Amino acid sequence: MTGKTHASCGALTGALTTQYFHTDLFTSVTILVLSTLASLLPDICHTQSKIGRRFRVLSFVIRLLFGHRTFTHSLAFIIIIGFLLYLIQTPMYYMVAIVIGIASHVILDILTPKGVKLFYPLPLNVVSPLHFKTGGLVDLSLATAFSFGTVYTLFQPFFNEFMLQWLN
């Protein structure tokens, strides 16, 4: 999937997290930013990704050590990040936003023909039986749907009020 698709899915997971935890405005904005950034984090192993271009040296080193779509796309990576966030006593809503943002990236990459090494360091490659080309029509459609879902989730009370007034 493209960076836009990952980011839009991360924003949606962040929006859903704000609704679940009923956060205030500042916390909600922070959650959205953290979740969106976290959804891009696994591609730090790819020097041409959105995050890889920002941190070229780190991206290059991670790619040399692990390769693309291996450690940073694994359950081990998600668990380690979650554990580190727990150790530094991150508030639960931030921890959930970050972990789910990363997990959303991994799930979306499972839907591509290349798949991911979900159980790294085991060499097993996990690919969905139904997979889609990166940058294709389905990828673009998902990014659009996630973006609409984010807007709807964030502004759901306003949409509901509008619909009630419109129907009456």
Side-chain angles (χ1 to χ4, degrees):
M1 298 291 161
T2 62
K4 290 177 184 137
T5 305
H6 288 303
S8 62
C9 187
L12 178 57
T13 61
L16 292 169
T17 303
T18 65
Q19 297 304 304
Y20 180 80
F21 286 101
H22 305 289
T23 55
D24 60 43
L25 181 60
F26 176 78
T27 305
S28 296
V29 171
T30 306
I31 286 171
L32 282 168
V33 169
L34 287 173
S35 186
T36 302
L37 291 174
S39 70
L40 298 173
L41 182 61
D43 273 345
I44 191 71
C45 63
H46 188 325
T47 55
Q48 296 304 309
S49 68
K50 287 192 180 296
I51 195 164
R53 288 190 303 255
R54 303 278 188 273
F55 302 97
R56 285 198 189 275
V57 174
L58 179 61
S59 179
F60 181 75
V61 170
I62 291 172
R63 176 114 184 186
L64 278 179
L65 291 173
F66 301 108
H68 183 49
R69 291 191 178 184
T70 57
F71 175 66
T72 60
H73 287 69
S74 70
L75 288 174
F77 181 71
I78 297 169
I79 291 167
I80 289 168
I81 295 294
F83 181 69
L84 291 173
L85 292 170
Y86 174 78
L87 281 181
I88 63 171
Q89 300 179 351
T90 304
M92 183 60 73
Y93 40 80
Y94 293 148
M95 186 165 39
V96 166
I98 293 167
V99 169
I100 294 178
I102 294 170
S104 73
H105 180 108
V106 174
I107 291 166
L108 286 174
D109 277 356
I110 288 173
L111 297 173
T112 64
K114 291 182 183 178
V116 300
K117 301 276 192 260
L118 187 62
F119 304 106
Y120 184 84
L122 297 176
L124 179 65
N125 199 44
V126 178
V127 181
S128 170
L130 184 64
H131 48 269
F132 311 100
K133 179 182 169 212
T134 299
L137 183 60
V138 172
D139 192 351
L140 177 63
S141 299
L142 283 173
T144 304
F146 293 148
S147 297
F148 278 115
T150 300
V151 171
Y152 176 75
T153 302
L154 291 173
F155 297 103
Q156 183 178 6
F158 301 109
F159 288 130
N160 291 345
E161 183 66 28
F162 174 77
M163 291 305 291
L164 282 174
Q165 287 179 359
W166 186 69
L167 291 173
N168 288 330

